[in-house]
Amino acid sequence: MAAAALNDVMRLRTIRPLQHKKDRGPRFRGRLAFSQLYSNKLPIYGLGYGNRSFITCYLDNSNKSGGGNVLGVNEIKEKCRKWLWKGDYSINYFVSSSSSSSSSNAKSNPPLLLVHGFGASIPHWRRNISTLAQDYTVYAIDLLGFGASDKPQGFSYTMEAWAQLILDFLNEVVQKPTVLIGNSVGSLACVIAASESSQNLVRGLVLLNCAGGMNNKAIVDDWRIKLLLPLLWLFDFLLKQRGIATAVFERAKQRDNLRNILLSVYGNKESVDDELVEIINGPANGEGALDAFVSIITGPPGPNPVQLMPRINLPFLVLWGDQDPFTPIDGPVGKYFSSLPSQSPNVSLFMLEGVGHCPHDDRPDLVHEKLLPWLAQLTA
């Protein structure tokens, strides 16, 4: 529709004023009237003369990554709820299910819990929630230290703590066997939770580019990490110096730097928009964000998924972007997961071509293409 409208406009002939002493040519404007209506659109062509009317053409990117309905960040924030974990920590979460009569399956199907990766939060699932909520009750959670959840001073962040948070959330809030869907360290937290669950709280697992640990010190079998390990330990030492940590964190969370980082880990560059940058940047400006950053980067890497997977007898779906620089498919963790389908009949693996570290946001169409049939088979 947007492309057709653009073609129609471009066929229009510009009408010049009848009386105009000096033709100064077309003027291009960067500012838009009613900008709030077009905050997620790119102005690609604008033409006007003198003080006459101005025509702006917009490129609609909302479906370019194939995500279908995309929830607005503000809409997600307005509908979020709070849950008190261990009587001390406020945890931000979101729940959604379709209100249409065709969604009767949502009551009988297992609920889904979406768990974000490092630096992200609930809105990182904005391209997935509406699609999944058509047939499932969808929960999403901000892990402690991220998003709008508490970032307590002096807290020692560990993978085990996040896994326990997930299990307690399932037990106290969801109260039904749930399919866990995680990205990066969120995937690893889901694996740990499933390996420790003794109450049948977990119905299945979906791993999107699962991390090998809370930080890179976990991947000791990768020659690339072995070469960098002395630098990683030095970096840990420097981050424990408050002044240095503040300078590093302030620089890392600058929007231009965040955009460049995201562009390096996304295969589909069009998915790296201003909204995504703000999803990462906004929570990083909150109180306690620096302490959480330092604790996570310098803390223990936690259990390795390679050691945990044999303890789990649940249906698994593994989706892996083949352009991931953080957990490459040719690294130890990637190689292990790619070998699992031949060893375990309960594991399904799909490589996503041209996709980076965050497949659900990078190319949600490819994720949904594999995820929805797997979920349907799981509940059949």
Side-chain angles (χ1 to χ4, degrees), residues 73-74 77 119 121 123 253 255 258-259 262 273-285:
V73 172
N74 288 335
K77 289 180 178 179
S121 55
K253 70 178 184 179
R255 285 180 173 82
L258 282 177
R259 185 181 301 276
L262 291 166
D273 53 17
D274 290 341
E275 191 171 67
L276 175 61
V277 173
E278 185 57 32
I279 287 171
I280 308 298
N281 173 266
N285 292 312

Coordinates of all heavy atoms in Angstrom, one line a residue, residues 73-74 77 119 121 123 253 255 258-259 262 273-285:
V73 N 5.6 0.5 22.0 CA 6.3 0.4 23.3 C 5.5 1.0 24.4 O 5.4 0.5 25.5 CB 7.7 1.1 23.2 CG1 8.3 1.2 24.6 CG2 8.6 0.4 22.2
N74 N 4.8 2.2 24.1 CA 4.0 2.8 25.2 C 2.8 2.0 25.5 O 2.4 1.9 26.7 CB 3.5 4.2 24.7 CG 4.7 5.2 24.6 OD1 5.6 5.1 25.4 ND2 4.5 6.2 23.8
K77 N 4.1 -0.7 27.9 CA 4.4 -0.1 29.2 C 3.1 0.2 30.0 O 3.1 -0.1 31.2 CB 5.2 1.2 29.0 CG 6.7 0.9 28.6 CD 7.4 2.2 28.4 CE 8.8 2.0 28.0 NZ 9.6 3.3 27.8
G119 N 20.6 -6.7 28.4 CA 20.3 -5.3 28.0 C 19.0 -5.0 27.5 O 18.6 -3.8 27.3
S121 N 14.5 -5.9 27.3 CA 13.4 -5.9 28.3 C 12.1 -6.3 27.5 O 12.2 -6.7 26.3 CB 13.2 -4.4 28.8 OG 13.0 -3.5 27.8
P123 N 9.6 -4.9 25.9 CA 9.3 -4.4 24.5 C 10.2 -5.0 23.4 O 9.8 -4.8 22.2 CB 9.6 -2.8 24.7 CG 9.3 -2.6 26.1 CD 9.9 -3.8 26.8
K253 N 26.1 3.4 26.4 CA 24.7 3.6 26.2 C 24.3 4.8 25.4 O 23.1 5.1 25.2 CB 24.0 3.7 27.6 CG 24.4 5.0 28.4 CD 23.6 5.0 29.7 CE 23.8 6.3 30.5 NZ 23.1 6.3 31.7
R255 N 23.3 6.7 22.2 CA 22.4 6.2 21.2 C 23.2 5.8 19.9 O 22.9 4.7 19.3 CB 21.3 7.2 20.8 CG 20.2 7.3 21.9 CD 19.2 8.3 21.5 NE 18.1 8.2 22.4 CZ 18.0 8.8 23.6 NH1 19.1 9.5 24.0 NH2 17.0 8.7 24.4
L258 N 25.0 2.6 20.7 CA 24.1 1.5 20.8 C 23.6 1.0 19.4 O 23.5 -0.2 19.1 CB 22.8 1.9 21.6 CG 23.0 1.9 23.1 CD1 21.7 2.4 23.7 CD2 23.3 0.5 23.6
R259 N 23.3 2.0 18.5 CA 22.9 1.7 17.2 C 24.0 0.9 16.4 O 23.7 -0.1 15.7 CB 22.6 3.0 16.4 CG 22.0 2.7 15.0 CD 21.7 4.0 14.3 NE 20.8 4.9 15.0 CZ 19.4 4.7 15.0 NH1 18.9 3.8 14.2 NH2 18.7 5.5 15.7
L262 N 24.0 -2.7 17.8 CA 22.9 -3.4 17.3 C 23.0 -3.8 15.8 O 22.7 -4.9 15.4 CB 21.6 -2.6 17.5 CG 21.2 -2.4 19.0 CD1 20.1 -1.4 19.2 CD2 20.7 -3.8 19.6
D273 N 15.8 0.2 14.4 CA 15.2 1.5 14.2 C 15.4 2.3 15.5 O 16.0 1.8 16.5 CB 13.7 1.4 13.9 CG 13.0 0.4 14.8 OD1 13.5 0.2 15.9 OD2 11.9 0.0 14.4
D274 N 14.9 3.5 15.5 CA 15.0 4.4 16.7 C 14.3 3.8 17.9 O 14.7 3.9 19.1 CB 14.4 5.8 16.4 CG 15.2 6.6 15.4 OD1 16.4 6.2 15.3 OD2 14.7 7.5 14.8
E275 N 13.2 3.1 17.7 CA 12.4 2.5 18.8 C 13.3 1.4 19.5 O 13.3 1.3 20.7 CB 11.1 1.9 18.3 CG 10.2 1.4 19.3 CD 8.8 1.0 18.8 OE1 8.8 0.0 18.1 OE2 7.9 1.8 19.1
L276 N 14.0 0.6 18.7 CA 14.8 -0.4 19.3 C 16.0 0.2 20.1 O 16.3 -0.3 21.2 CB 15.4 -1.3 18.2 CG 16.5 -2.4 18.6 CD1 15.8 -3.3 19.6 CD2 17.0 -3.1 17.4
V277 N 16.6 1.2 19.6 CA 17.6 1.9 20.3 C 17.1 2.4 21.6 O 17.7 2.3 22.7 CB 18.2 3.1 19.5 CG1 19.2 3.9 20.3 CG2 18.9 2.5 18.2
E278 N 15.9 3.0 21.6 CA 15.3 3.5 22.9 C 14.9 2.4 23.8 O 15.0 2.6 25.1 CB 14.1 4.4 22.5 CG 13.4 5.1 23.7 CD 14.4 6.0 24.4 OE1 15.3 6.6 23.8 OE2 14.3 6.1 25.7
I279 N 14.5 1.2 23.3 CA 14.2 0.1 24.2 C 15.4 -0.3 25.0 O 15.3 -0.7 26.2 CB 13.7 -1.1 23.3 CG1 12.3 -0.8 22.8 CG2 13.8 -2.4 24.1 CD1 11.9 -1.9 21.8
I280 N 16.6 -0.2 24.4 CA 17.9 -0.5 25.1 C 18.3 0.6 26.0 O 18.7 0.5 27.1 CB 19.0 -1.0 24.1 CG1 18.5 -2.0 23.2 CG2 20.2 -1.4 24.9 CD1 18.1 -3.3 23.9
N281 N 18.2 1.8 25.4 CA 18.8 3.0 26.1 C 18.0 3.5 27.3 O 18.6 3.8 28.3 CB 18.9 4.2 25.1 CG 19.3 5.5 25.7 OD1 18.4 6.3 26.1 ND2 20.6 5.7 25.9
G282 N 16.6 3.4 27.2 CA 15.8 3.9 28.3 C 16.1 3.3 29.6 O 16.4 4.1 30.6
P283 N 16.0 2.0 29.8 CA 16.3 1.4 31.1 C 17.7 1.6 31.6 O 17.9 1.6 32.8 CB 16.0 -0.1 30.9 CG 15.0 -0.1 29.7 CD 15.5 1.0 28.8
A284 N 18.6 1.8 30.6 CA 20.0 2.0 31.0 C 20.3 3.3 31.8 O 21.3 3.5 32.4 CB 20.9 1.9 29.8
N285 N 19.3 4.2 31.7 CA 19.4 5.5 32.4 C 18.8 5.5 33.8 O 18.8 6.5 34.5 CB 18.7 6.6 31.5 CG 19.5 6.9 30.2 OD1 20.7 7.1 30.2 ND2 18.8 6.9 29.1

